[in-house]
Structures are given as C-alpha cells and as structure tokens.
Amino acid sequence: AAMYSAAAASPPRRDFISVTLSPEQAVGTGGYNNSKAWRRRSCWRKWKQLSRLQRSVILFLFAFLAVCGVLSYTSMGEPWKSLRIKSLDDQRTEPEIPGLKLANPAVLPAPQKADVNLGDYPELSPQKPPKPPHIRRGPSNLQIKPPRKDVRLKTRRGTSRVVEEPVQADKEEKTEKSVISWRGAVIEPDQSTEPPSSKIKEPEKPSSVEAEDQKEPVPITERQMAVIEAFRHAWKGYKDFAWGHDELKPLSKSYSEWFGLGLTLIDALDTMWILGLKEEFEEARKWVANNLVFDKNVDVNLFESTIRILGGLLSTYHLSGDSLFLEKAKDIGNRLMPAFKTPSKIPYSDVNIGRGTAHPPRWTSDSTVAEVTSIQLEFRELSRLTGDEKFQKAVDEVMKHVHTLSGKNDGLVPMFINTNSGQFTHLGVYTLGARADSYYEYLLKQWIQGGKKENELLEDYMRAIEGVKKHLLQRSQPKKLTFVGELAHGHFSAKMDHLVCFLPGTLALGAHNGLTADHMTLAEALIETCYQMYAQVETGLSPEIVHFNLHAQKGHRDVEIKPADRHNLLRPETVESLFYMYRFTGDKKYQDWGWEILQNFNKYTRVPTGGYTSINNVQNPSNPEPRDKMESFFLGETLKYMFLLFSDDIDLINLDKYVFNTEAHPLPIWAPA
Ligand code: DMJ
C-alpha cells in the first residue's frame, strides 16, 4: 500500500520505481536483497521489450543447451562416480600410523562356508601379529608329515586295502610354522610360553627342513600297514575296556590303575600321530583336554611319570604343535618338582602330585640310579620350552653330582644312590639291565640333545662303554654271541636282561654322531644276540632275562631260560635297536627280524576281543599263559619302533633332529650339528 501511494505522488519516470523501505532496510541491513529484486525486475522489463522472434530464438538456445547438459551428464557420470568412491576408499585406507599399510578390503577372501574347517587351511585362519622370532617357542623341527588321509592303495596281491597316506604335508609345512593341525583345531604352539631364559638355548631351525618340504612323501609299506592294524587292535581293547585308565587287562576286559592318569592313552599319543591315526588321536586329545587332571592325591613314581607322561606330552606337543600338551606338561612338571627337595638333591622316587610331597620307598632312603639319571631329557626340554630354569637346574645338578661320585668301576655305576648322603649304595654290583640301564642311554642322549657340547656327559658315556667292554662283554657257546653280562663283587654272571637290548641302538646312535666306529661294530654284534634271544625260544619271543651258555654243551643253545624269567611283557628294546640299526645301515635283515617279532606278538599275545597281553611262558607255544595286562609301552614304544623300523623314510623322525627319550618319545635336538 505504501508503494502505491509513493508512485502516485511522483512524476511518472519509466526507469525508476518508488519503494517503501522496511525499518531494517532503512538502517542498511537489507541492501543486497533489495538490489537483487531490483535486478530481477529490470531483466523482466528488458525481456518484455524483446520481439517475439528474439524471445523464441533465446528460448530455443536455452532449450538446446539444457538438452546438451543432460546428455553430457549421463555419459560422464560413471567416471565421476568411481572417482568419488575411489577417493573415499583412499581416505579409508589411509594409514593412521605412518608407514603402516592396512589390508586392502578388496582382496580379503570371501567369507568361508560354514562347513569349511579353518584348521585345514591354516593360511586362512585368523591372523595374529607374528611374534618376534627370538621369543618364539614351540615345535622346532617340523618334519613329520602330519596329515594323512585314508586312501586305497593296491597291494602286491592286487587287492586294495585302506592305508594312511601322507597328504598336504608340503603345503602345510610351508605355511606359518606356528599353525599346524590336521585335527580341526587351529593351533598356536607358542601362545602360552614365556620368553626364554638367557641361559637356556633355543634350538636352531634345522637347515634341511625346507629341502624336506620339497620331497615326495614316502609311501607306506605293507609291514607298516600291519603295524597300524596291530595298533588299532590294541587301541580297540583299550578303548572298549580301559578308556582313560592306566592299563588294559584284555582278558578280563577291564583295567588296572597305577597312577590313575590314563597312562596308556598318554603314552600312545605321539604313536598315533606318527602312524597317522587321525580319529584316534582326536578322541584321545579330547580326553586329555577334558579329563586329564593332575590335581590328585596320588603317589606317582618320578621316573615313570617323567618318561611316560611328561615325555609323552612334550613330544606330542612338538609333533602336533598343540599348546594343550605343553600346558599339561608344565602342570605335571611343576607337580613333580617336590621330589628334588632332599638333603642331597638326589630326588626321591615318589611324589604325591596333589599334595606336593615326596618320599623314598617305605623300606629305604635310596633311589635307583637309572631313575634319577633318566629324567633329564624331559626336564631340560621343559625348561627350554617354558624359559623356567628350575627344571633343568634340578636335573643337571643330579648329573653333575653323579659325575663326581666315587664307587664307579671304569665308568660303570652301582644301582642305588642314597637321597640323604648322595652316595652310591650297594657297591660292587654292575649291570646294564634293570636299575642302571638308562643311565648310560641318557648320558649319550643328553649330550646329543644339548648339541654335543656337554663334555662331561660324553666323557662318562665313553668311559662307561669301555667299562662294559672290559668287565661285562662275553661270548656265548655254541654260536659265539656277544652279550653283556653282570658283575657282582668281582664275579661275572652270564645273565642278561632283555632291557639291555637298548644298548645296540644307543651304541649305533653314538657312532652315527661321530663316536668311534668300534661302537658300531659292537652294536652289530649285540643286536644279533638280542635277535637270538627271540629266535632261539619256542614262541619266537624273548623272555625277560636270559642266561648265556659260556661252554658248549651238546643239545644246548646259547640261551638258557630260568622258570622265573620266562615271561614277556611286550617290551620294546630289541625292536628299538633294530630300528636304529636299519636306519643307520639300511640292512634289510633288521627289518626282517622285526617282522618276525611282530608276527610272533600277533600269534601269541593278541587277544581276539581287542588288545595284546603280556605272557608268562615264552617257551610254551601251546599255552603261553597270558598275564592279562597290556603295558603302556607296547603302544608308546614297541609298535612305534616297529612302524619306524619298517619305514624307508629317514625324515619320519629324523635322528639328526630328534632324540628319543627312554620311552620312545621324540624330543628335539637343540642345536643340530
Ligand atoms: C619303558 O618304560 C622304558 O623303555 C624304560 O626305559 C624301561 N622299561 C620300559 C620298557 O621296557
């Protein structure tokens, strides 16, 4: 209304219009809006002044430009779009920390289907940042071909049998060594171990591992298949009647308990791994995970539980890389430590693993020499793995002490040692059989385990073998078999325990490691004798103890057996030595001898409903008198050594990388030569 009145009051001037200012405009705050309105009106006036033709041309030009604009937008849209997205991605992948490259989401694998097991494809497993190599713990020598799958192979007779064939070994071994599994579990072997102690050496990675990765898998032999079959039969009995208990009683279809710790199951773990018995291993692993508890008020024998349980868990950890076994090994290792709290630091024979107390046997304060000197490989390895020196310190101290003791006879040790005084007792009796045997074995094996640097161990070993030659070697009649007898207060006895048959294997191992060649000559002679301890007996199975004839008598063989000694406990020592001899010489006769022994075990000790049994009388083929007990070492040692004996694959537990404990559990050599 104000506008109209202003216009009415002024003379008509075409180029100007009168406006009424609002109060804000009057103080100068709305000048810009005002001039914009003015410009709009002025343009409109100019447009009105154009002719119709001029207007049409201009409109046409506008329309034309609009169409061109739309067309060019659609053809250029894509590059623009991608440019824009790319720049967004660039922003997303921009490292937050300079120098740190983030994974490009575009190359991440598609999500796995539900039924794909990551354990079979370790490279697709969730990644953890790699640990610096100097604190890496875990399997050092991964040379086993872990995953085997059931395949059908043609036998010589043209029939097909299910056998285990190594598969994917190359692929899996080439993947990050910290993730190894064929069991479906993705395994981080070193996730729970601590940094190493400065004093304890890390084993070096063997240089041959990569070369081995390139190798073709060595096919399994028919004899190895027979061992697998025997193992499965033994395992069936254990599973059906003794699952989770110490030993199977295959005839009464029940079990016996010694420590109540599933001894057979633990002893057999690494055998299953080596034989490629995937399902059985997996089942046993579950038992270990869910049922193996050491917090029990039970007395265990330090030596037996060390070599079977601690040794079995450590080797299974090394072969499988599964930290469960290391955790259990640490647990039992710690619980065994109270045994070393004695006045002399020579450990007691027994420990209550629940209460943490230890004691000698009720009737004496002595310990057995073999027992206190055959726990070292295991405790030393436990220290190396955990970085906790206390285990190694305790067992090294025993060895150092025994090294200095008097009472030896040219390196041969008595059988007992007192836990109070630290001195040998029952002086004057020397044997390589029960109560002393593995002292000699562990001198050599510790020297090998530690990289052949601990000279005192080697000295003691070399001296002892000279002692054996000087005092204990004799020849029998009529076959002139070289055997190792015993010495009691200067009197030689032609008695030899089957246990002594570990010696040819140990001598051969020493010779292989550069010791004098005459150790190998002696090994060859002694393994022949051990074989004859089987071959000269009616069942083809060795008794526990033999006496050799020193004088030829008509109608007499070399081997005599006393009624009290004619039992066979399914022991491994001869098969163990056959394995070493075959490995180092390649002489097939050793395999043939082992094959005979396996067949005789099958003939006289196999129980049809599952399992194998010790027998009381190796001299009576029509009634070997089954004892109704399957010792855990039959699965832990005897069948394992059989399987290895029948293999031509030197990398199936390479003896330059592993050293077997006295219960056939392979542990890594720390610094292979
Ligand atoms: C096993 O426990 C070990 O081999 C030990 O060294 C001796 N006794 C049995 C096997 O015979």
Side-chain angles (χ1 to χ4, degrees), residues 21-203:
L21 297 175
S22 68
E24 297 94 327
Q25 286 165 334
V27 292
T29 56
Y32 170 75
N33 285 340
N34 186 41
S35 70
K36 243 168 82 179
W38 176 83
R39 270 201 303 272
R40 248 194 327 262
R41 285 196 188 113
S42 160
C43 283
W44 178 245
R45 204 173 297 132
K46 282 188 176 136
W47 174 255
K48 283 280 186 188
Q49 286 168 356
L50 295 176
S51 68
R52 189 168 290 166
L53 179 69
Q54 284 172 317
R55 283 189 217 152
S56 303
V57 170
I58 289 169
L59 282 175
F60 175 76
L61 277 174
F62 271 120
F64 178 72
L65 285 174
V67 168
C68 288
V70 168
L71 284 177
S72 65
Y73 176 79
T74 51
S75 65
M76 290 172 70
E78 284 311 310
W80 276 108
K81 236 194 283 174
S82 66
L83 249 182
R84 189 171 164 273
I85 289 167
K86 192 166 180 296
S87 77
L88 283 176
D89 284 347
D90 287 348
Q91 284 169 27
R92 214 181 308 148
T93 56
E94 193 72 44
E96 284 176 12
I97 304 165
L100 174 68
K101 271 248 173 207
L102 296 183
N104 183 353
V107 297
L108 284 177
Q112 296 294 308
K113 285 182 196 160
D115 59 349
V116 174
N117 189 340
L118 282 184
D120 295 331
Y121 300 93
E123 67 276 20
L124 297 183
S125 307
Q127 298 287 305
K128 283 193 178 176
K131 292 178 186 169
H134 66 281
I135 63 159
R136 270 200 69 201
R137 283 283 179 254
S140 51
N141 303 318
L142 297 161
Q143 49 178 315
I144 303 302
K145 282 66 178 180
R148 297 163 188 270
K149 68 176 180 195
D150 281 356
V151 291
R152 295 208 164 252
L153 278 195
K154 287 250 172 200
T155 65
R156 270 185 230 135
R157 281 178 224 91
T159 55
S160 67
R161 294 170 74 173
V162 176
V163 296
E164 308 289 320
E165 188 196 63
V167 293
Q168 288 191 348
D170 291 355
K171 183 185 160 202
E172 294 198 9
E173 283 177 13
K174 271 181 213 148
T175 60
E176 175 50 56
K177 297 289 187 205
S178 64
V179 184
I180 318 105
S181 169
W182 47 249
R183 292 177 316 283
V186 178
I187 288 154
E188 293 285 346
D190 50 357
Q191 61 199 4
S192 56
T193 54
E194 290 130 26
S197 139
S198 55
K199 283 197 176 170
I200 296 159
K201 284 268 163 77
E202 185 89 25

Side-chain angles (χ1 to χ4, degrees), residues 303-304 307-308 437 499 571-573 633 637 662-663:
F303 163 73
E304 297 290 358
I307 64 168
R308 301 187 199 210
D437 49 359
L499 287 169
R571 285 197 192 275
E573 290 77 15
F633 50 70
E637 296 194 70
T662 192
E663 189 75 7

